[in-house]
Amino acid sequence: MNNIDPIISEELKKLGSNIEQVKKASRSTIAQPPALLTIGGQPLFRPFTINAIQGKEGSHKSRLAEIICTAAIAGKMP
């Protein structure tokens, strides 16, 4: 039982340190990552997000996806 007490004590110190790090991070401002693609200065796609194209059959979803991919490769939106 004696060797368990130092382990618990060490883990509680780590927990306290983690709590302080979370408190410090929660006080800082949230910074948005720069947009991957923009239209007229407005962000269209940001990194680490999931985007879906939804529409009826025959509504040219794949063509829209092609345009977006072409713009991403070219580095600018028309």
Side-chain angles (χ1 to χ4, degrees), residues 53-65:
I53 300 172
Q54 184 176 353
K56 293 181 180 179
E57 181 180 339
S59 61
H60 304 288
K61 297 176 297 291
S62 60
R63 290 181 190 238
L64 176 61

Side-chain angles (χ1 to χ4, degrees), residues 21-77:
Q21 287 178 352
V22 169
K23 284 181 181 179
K24 183 179 177 182
S26 70
R27 290 185 206 108
S28 63
T29 58
I30 297 173
Q32 290 282 343
L36 298 173
L37 292 174
T38 60
I39 293 180
Q42 295 296 317
L44 183 63
F45 295 110
R46 293 195 184 274
F48 312 112
T49 60
I50 297 173
N51 300 284
I53 300 172
Q54 184 176 353
K56 293 181 180 179
E57 181 180 339
S59 61
H60 304 288
K61 297 176 297 291
S62 60
R63 290 181 190 238
L64 176 61
E66 287 176 8
I67 292 169
I68 291 169
C69 291
T70 302
I73 292 170
K76 57 184 176 182
M77 280 299 260

Side-chain angles (χ1 to χ4, degrees), residues 6-19:
I7 294 172
I8 292 173
S9 176
E10 187 64 33
E11 292 298 320
L12 287 174
K13 286 179 186 176
K14 288 180 186 177
L15 179 61
S17 173
N18 289 345
I19 289 171

